[in-house]
Amino acid sequence: MASTQSSLRIQGDDNLQSMIVGTVMRKIKSRTWKKQRYFKLQEDCMTIWYKSKKAGNAHSTFSVSDVEAVREGHQSEVLLSIADEFPADRCFTLVFRGRRGNLDLVAESAEEAQSWIKGMRKLIENVENMGQREKLDQWICDWFKKADKNRDGRMNFKEVQDLLKMMNVDMNEDHARRLFTMADRSRSGTLEGDEFVLFYKMLTQRDDVLRIFQQYSRDGQKLTLQDLEEFLCEEQLEGLGGQQCALELIERYEPSETAKMLNAMSIDGFLMYLVSPEGSIFNPQHRGVYQDMTQPLCHYFISSSHNTYLLEDQLRGQSSVEGYIRALKRGCRCVEVDCWDGPNGEPIVYHGHTFTSKILFKDVVTALGNYAFKISDYPVILSIENHCSLEQQRVMAQHLNHILDDKLLRSTVGSPNQYRLPSPEELRGKILVKGKKIGGLEASLNGAVEDSMTGEVSDEDEVADIDEDHPHAESIRRKGKKSKQRLSKELSECVVYCKSVHFSSFKHSRLYSKFYEISSFAESKARKYIKEAGVEFVQHNARQLSRVYPSGLRTDSSNFNPQEMWNVGCQIVALNFQTAGVEMDLNDGLFSQNGHCGYILKPEFMRICERHYEPENAHEREGYRPVSLSVQVISGQQLPKVNIKEGSIVDPLVRVEIHGVPVDQAKQETKYIDNNGFNPVWNDTLQFTIHAPELALVRFVVEDYDKTSKNDFVGQYTLPFTSIQQGYRHIHLLSKDGTTIPPSSLFVHVRITNIV
């Protein structure tokens, strides 16, 4: 089992051996909250155990697989705040996946800190390099440890029964006893390591996969090269190079050397292929950048965040540089700052006129410089909402120039007479500032330089950004109409291609707008324009950038549905990244393709200004080709437990949702299965007609059915319709937070056909 592999890992590694012995470190939450905790690595090399000296037997654990990265030194706001007390060489931060907060630690010595930093990095690398089989072994090992209550390394029948409940299995006692007896080869009345693995394999036997295997196998024992080629061609619709593809799959996934020598695949190899990335519903060719990245910026959907500095709600939530780091690491390419005058001449960032905490503008810019291009090389847009005095605007410009240096876009790119927005390719590695600007871009295109040190810009665009639903909308508007904002020349010069302007009308925009101007729309205003002038909105977005942001009433940081904004080609649809839910699932789903680079090329019919495309009447567009989608939901595997009540087991159902143009919005559900989250079988087929496949997203949701109250969420997976692979496919489910929950999956059969 996995424990033998972990013991091999420990041997010869001083850092891991030191971690297993354990270390006393300080856990830091703030300048005033610094408490000693005893940390140690468990022998499975997968679990970190820690406890307080005063807590008696109470302790906590977390899995190495939950840790995304280790930051060395004062690389968090908390550790920076105590930098005068503890040197950087004793400090480090564990960064968790999803939305979980960081763990900031201070070791007793620099040597101990290095042991943990190097050891954790090695363990994270091991997890990332684990194959599918190793991950499964590890998962089995974890369950064994949970069930082995008396820690004697073996399980009696009572412990096995408890384990089945923990694993979401409701099995009658006779059947459980029969499997237990068959696995207990030593006749000891208990299951030890390999016997437990055998028990698990009998428990997880995939009859659905076996049936498909036997359907294509001539002798029922193996798939010959020809059998596998037939399966790939007829079911998976793998086109050219069928034989070569079959050979590569055998080489990659077949565990038996004998079968490999015969160019054949066993049932084990077949299952390993089906649960691999190549057997996934998501097309592996879309995992890298595959789209044309040389079109103007306005031809792309851009992953965008609203009030990026907030980790919680909009009224009292914490502002943090971590908000920027997390968003950028999720592939976000447009982040937002609200800047206000701060003490000591330093601009601060927070949600004005609220009780949210404050952070320094220069710290945000530093984080941007450090993390902007870790996930994607393509440009980042820094959207500035500026409320600062002239003096502090100059400080802002100074920080942007000094900290970002050559990452900051200061001048136009491309040919001198290029009167269109540059492409993501031309702007690789650059940070663009979006904000107000004195005058236009033409002067710099023609080589002219303005002399004035300051200028006045209308505050109208800021006022226009006040949502009509905002409680104080009228008073803000009245005040805004009278005011002009003074803008420093230095900050104005930081804005090149994203000049913020007030939106008057589509007609005004068509006649007078410049390609480098961008307008912002509150969600309710955007909906109004979609309803009244959908065609013009699409055409406007083919020429220039638009940004849509959440209503001022969303003080809980909830999100609007981004799909309706994408349907008219709005590029910068700003969401509260800190809030999990269907809206962020759609955002993650859309941007999961094209190498997670944060830019998705819009369909051709949305990129040509002269085209007449109306989302409400998708069937009237040029090149209209509807398709039929058939999804047979076959089975589920090891679904997570959602109700912590002892003995509670999920009653799962699957809902398939289509998100797209209005006529495509649809959802259908399977029946629910009583008391089986471990290996439920549905065999239900759901059918959809899709009129604009280029804009459609497909979301698979698993819920725990409850006839008396709202169903509980179990897991989901969302992907672009155009990234679907047909045939027999596994869907690897994600948590509410968007993190993986291995080995939870759905097994489906997908067919897409053109409707003539």
Side-chain angles (χ1 to χ4, degrees):
M1 272 176 55
S3 54
T4 56
Q5 295 168 348
S6 58
S7 60
L8 289 173
R9 272 186 229 143
I10 298 162
Q11 284 170 17
D13 192 305
D14 293 343
N15 295 321
L16 296 185
Q17 285 177 338
S18 163
M19 287 169 72
I20 279 178
V21 171
T23 314
V24 173
M25 293 189 276
R26 282 183 178 85
K27 179 181 173 183
I28 314 287
K29 285 190 179 178
S30 68
R31 273 192 76 84
T32 53
W33 199 103
K34 298 173 282 224
K35 301 204 172 164
Q36 287 195 325
R37 296 284 183 268
Y38 181 57
F39 288 83
K40 68 175 181 177
L41 173 66
Q42 303 284 68
E43 302 227 343
D44 63 354
C45 277
M46 281 297 293
T47 312
I48 306 294
W49 178 101
Y50 65 99
K51 66 176 281 191
S52 155
K53 285 183 169 178
K54 299 173 185 170
N57 291 326
H59 68 272
S60 302
T61 62
F62 60 85
S63 171
V64 171
S65 60
D66 293 336
V67 183
E68 188 179 272
V70 184
R71 292 191 209 146
E72 206 168 334
H74 300 139
Q75 283 202 61
S76 76
E77 286 158 307
V78 169
L79 290 179
L80 277 168
S81 74
I82 50 102
D84 54 342
E85 196 176 344
F86 299 107
D89 61 6
R90 286 170 53 194
C91 300
F92 63 99
T93 302
L94 300 185
V95 181
F96 290 93
R97 298 182 190 281
R99 294 174 175 82
R100 181 173 170 180
N102 297 340
L103 178 58
D104 291 302
L105 297 169
V106 179
E108 293 295 299
S109 68
E111 293 71 34
E112 280 186 354
Q114 277 304 309
S115 273
W116 277 82
I117 290 163
K118 287 176 181 168
M120 282 301 298
R121 283 177 178 162
K122 180 168 185 178
L123 293 173
I124 292 165
E125 190 185 347
N126 283 342
V127 169
E128 285 170 354
N129 292 334
M130 265 187 194
Q132 208 67 33
R133 190 173 287 276
E134 277 183 293
K135 283 180 184 168
L136 199 56
D137 284 351
Q138 184 61 53
W139 193 77
I140 298 167
C141 184
D142 289 346
W143 277 116
F144 185 93
K145 281 193 312 198
K146 279 181 193 171
D148 182 17
K149 293 276 171 43
N150 58 7
R151 302 276 186 268
D152 63 354
R154 58 186 71 193
M155 275 203 292
N156 58 36
F157 183 65
K158 171 73 174 69
E159 287 175 320
V160 165
Q161 281 183 300
D162 291 343
L163 171 70
L164 291 174
K165 285 204 177 76
M166 281 196 280
M167 290 173 101
N168 253 333
V169 186
D170 183 26
M171 187 181 286
N172 78 47
E173 192 172 330
D174 291 344
H175 185 47
R177 175 86 60 187
R178 194 159 55 249
L179 290 183
F180 182 89
T181 307
M182 285 164 70
D184 180 19
R185 289 178 167 173
S186 62
R187 300 284 174 265
S188 63
T190 59
L191 301 183
E192 297 181 50
D194 289 343
E195 291 175 331
F196 178 71
V197 173
L198 178 62
F199 174 78
Y200 174 84
K201 282 187 172 164
M202 288 191 284
L203 193 64
T204 55
Q205 184 173 309
R206 292 285 301 274
D207 292 337
D208 48 358
V209 172
L210 187 60
R211 266 195 299 277
I212 301 160
F213 180 84
Q214 288 174 339
Q215 185 186 330
Y216 280 89
S217 166
R218 286 159 211 226
D219 63 3
Q221 300 298 309
K222 65 182 180 302
L223 291 175
T224 63
L225 192 60
Q226 193 180 344
D227 294 340
L228 183 56
E229 199 180 336
E230 262 176 48
F231 170 76
L232 294 173
C233 182
E234 291 174 22
E235 293 294 352
Q236 310 299 75
L237 303 188
E238 301 281 0
L240 302 168
Q243 189 178 71
Q244 185 57 34
C245 178
L247 280 168
E248 286 171 9
L249 293 179
I250 290 169
E251 183 55 40
R252 206 168 292 144
Y253 300 113
E254 178 49 56
S256 160
E257 290 302 323
T258 312
K260 270 187 188 174
M261 286 167 67
L262 295 169
N263 282 338
M265 187 176 258
S266 66
I267 180 66
D268 282 348
F270 187 59
L271 181 55
M272 290 308 289
Y273 153 63
L274 285 174
V275 297
S276 76
E278 281 162 297
S280 153
I281 193 169
F282 188 92
N283 184 346
Q285 291 174 358
H286 289 191
R287 291 193 189 282
V289 174
Y290 71 97
Q291 295 180 339
D292 174 8
M293 302 303 287
T294 63
Q295 307 251 348
L297 273 187
C298 55
H299 288 182
Y300 297 84
F301 296 122
I302 302 170
S303 179
S304 307
S305 154
H306 171 249
N307 288 358
T308 316
Y309 48 88
L310 290 177
L311 296 183
E312 299 158 32
D313 67 62
Q314 308 280 312
L315 295 178
R316 297 175 181 276
Q318 182 193 353
S319 301
S320 171
V321 168
E322 283 301 324
Y324 294 90
I325 297 171
R326 289 181 194 177
L328 291 166
K329 284 171 93 170
R330 287 181 80 154
C332 180
R333 298 288 87 189
C334 179
V335 296
E336 187 181 1
V337 281
D338 284 3
C339 299
W340 301 79
D341 281 356
N344 309 316
E346 281 293 347
I348 53 172
V349 174
Y350 83 112
H351 200 201
H353 309 299
T354 67
F355 297 103
T356 58
S357 61
K358 302 169 177 69
I359 53 177
L360 291 175
F361 176 73
K362 68 177 177 186
D363 290 346
V364 171
V365 179
T366 301
L368 196 55
N370 289 338
Y371 289 92
F373 305 111
K374 294 256 191 212
I375 298 297
S376 167
D377 287 340
Y378 291 107
V380 169
I381 298 168
L382 175 62
S383 179
I384 294 181
E385 199 173 292
N386 168 23
H387 305 275
C388 290
S389 62
L390 283 175
E391 292 71 22
Q392 295 212 8
Q393 287 178 38
R394 291 187 184 112
V395 176
M396 285 168 66
Q398 202 178 342
H399 289 327
L400 288 167
N401 280 290
H402 289 180
I403 296 169
L404 298 181
D405 196 21
D406 60 355
K407 288 177 187 160
L408 179 68
L409 185 78
R410 294 186 178 91
S411 57
T412 56
V413 299
S415 63
N417 349 318
Q418 182 175 292
Y419 285 89
R420 67 160 180 82
L421 283 169
S423 68
E425 189 58 47
E426 289 173 296
L427 294 167
R428 269 182 112 120
K430 291 294 180 188
I431 294 169
L432 286 68
V433 174
K434 170 195 162 294
K436 300 192 185 82
K437 185 173 178 65
I438 304 163
L441 192 60
E442 288 77 10
S444 51
L445 283 170
N446 298 327
V449 179
E450 292 182 30
D451 291 332
S452 64
M453 296 303 288
T454 63
E456 284 191 345
V457 290
S458 164
D459 221 13
E460 277 184 333
D461 53 326
E462 203 59 62
V463 175
D465 286 359
I466 302 299
D467 197 321
E468 287 170 356
D469 299 334
H470 195 285
H472 307 296
E474 255 328 294
S475 60
I476 296 171
R477 241 186 230 104
R478 276 198 302 274
K479 181 183 166 196
K481 277 181 180 166
K482 297 173 197 162
S483 71
K484 290 270 186 186
Q485 187 192 16
R486 304 270 289 160
L487 183 64
S488 84
K489 177 171 176 278
E490 294 86 347
L491 189 58
S492 171
E493 284 175 350
C494 292
V495 177
V496 182
Y497 286 116
C498 296
K499 177 184 177 179
S500 295
V501 297
H502 169 64
F503 179 81
S504 299
S505 69
F506 290 120
K507 183 180 178 183
H508 180 276
S509 163
R510 194 169 60 251
L511 294 173
Y512 304 111
S513 281
K514 307 293 196 297
F515 67 89
Y516 54 82
E517 293 177 341
I518 173 172
S519 298
S520 290
F521 302 86
E523 60 173 282
S524 58
K525 192 62 73 75
R527 275 193 208 98
K528 178 174 175 282
Y529 288 131
I530 290 168
K531 194 173 171 187
E532 294 173 1
V535 176
E536 288 180 281
F537 211 165
V538 174
Q539 291 170 341
H540 173 86
N541 288 326
R543 289 190 307 271
Q544 60 195 101
L545 291 167
S546 290
R547 173 177 167 269
V548 182
Y549 60 92
S551 157
L553 290 178
R554 294 184 183 274
T555 53
D556 59 351
S557 294
S558 60
N559 283 308
F560 58 89
N561 180 356
Q563 185 71 50
E564 56 187 330
M565 311 306 170
W566 294 328
N567 286 343
V568 291
C570 294
Q571 303 87 350
I572 299 177
V573 180
L575 298 180
N576 292 306
F577 269 48
Q578 71 272 36
T579 307
V582 61
E583 299 84 8
M584 274 308 295
D585 292 345
L586 296 178
N587 198 75
D588 290 343
L590 176 66
F591 292 101
S592 62
Q593 60 180 317
N594 210 28
H596 264 107
C597 78
Y599 285 84
I600 303 299
L601 188 63
K602 294 197 283 188
E604 189 187 15
F605 57 82
M606 301 184 90
R607 307 197 304 257
I608 299 167
C609 299
E610 296 72 36
R611 285 273 175 94
H612 183 96
Y613 164 66
E614 190 175 1
E616 292 287 341
N617 299 304
H619 60 282
E620 290 177 3
R621 70 182 167 87
E622 195 179 316
Y624 169 63
R625 289 186 195 87
V627 295
S628 168
L629 170 67
S630 169
V631 180
Q632 184 192 9
V633 181
I634 302 169
S635 62
Q637 293 74 46
Q638 288 102 63
L639 303 176
K641 204 176 167 87
V642 290
N643 195 323
I644 51 170
K645 273 190 235 153
E646 202 169 335
S648 164
I649 292 168
V650 301
D651 305 324
L653 63 80
V654 178
R655 185 170 61 253
V656 179
E657 304 171 351
I658 308 297
H659 297 263
V661 296
V663 70
D664 286 343
Q665 299 282 355
K667 54 180 78 168
Q668 290 181 40
E669 289 178 354
T670 65
K671 57 184 173 286
Y672 70 89
I673 304 294
D674 269 323
N675 284 341
N676 187 353
F678 190 73
N679 53 4
V681 175
W682 293 278
N683 279 322
D684 284 354
T685 300
L686 313 175
Q687 299 270 5
F688 303 91
T689 298
I690 300 177
H691 299 270
E694 305 92 332
L695 284 168
L697 294 168
V698 184
R699 184 171 183 254
F700 296 85
V701 193
V702 183
E703 289 183 344
D704 179 12
Y705 173 76
D706 192 322
K707 61 176 177 285
T708 58
S709 63
K710 191 172 174 235
N711 293 351
D712 286 322
F713 174 90
V714 174
Q716 70 84 32
Y717 185 77
T718 307
L719 79 165
F721 177 83
T722 51
S723 295
I724 288 177
Q725 290 203 104
Q726 298 189 61
Y728 287 103
R729 302 292 174 184
H730 277 92
I731 296 168
H732 300 281
L733 295 171
L734 302 175
S735 69
K736 194 170 269 187
D737 237 5
T739 54
T740 56
I741 35 177
S744 299
S745 62
L746 297 175
F747 187 47
V748 298
H749 183 268
V750 180
R751 260 305 162 263
I752 298 167
T753 49
N754 293 323
I755 299 172
V756 181

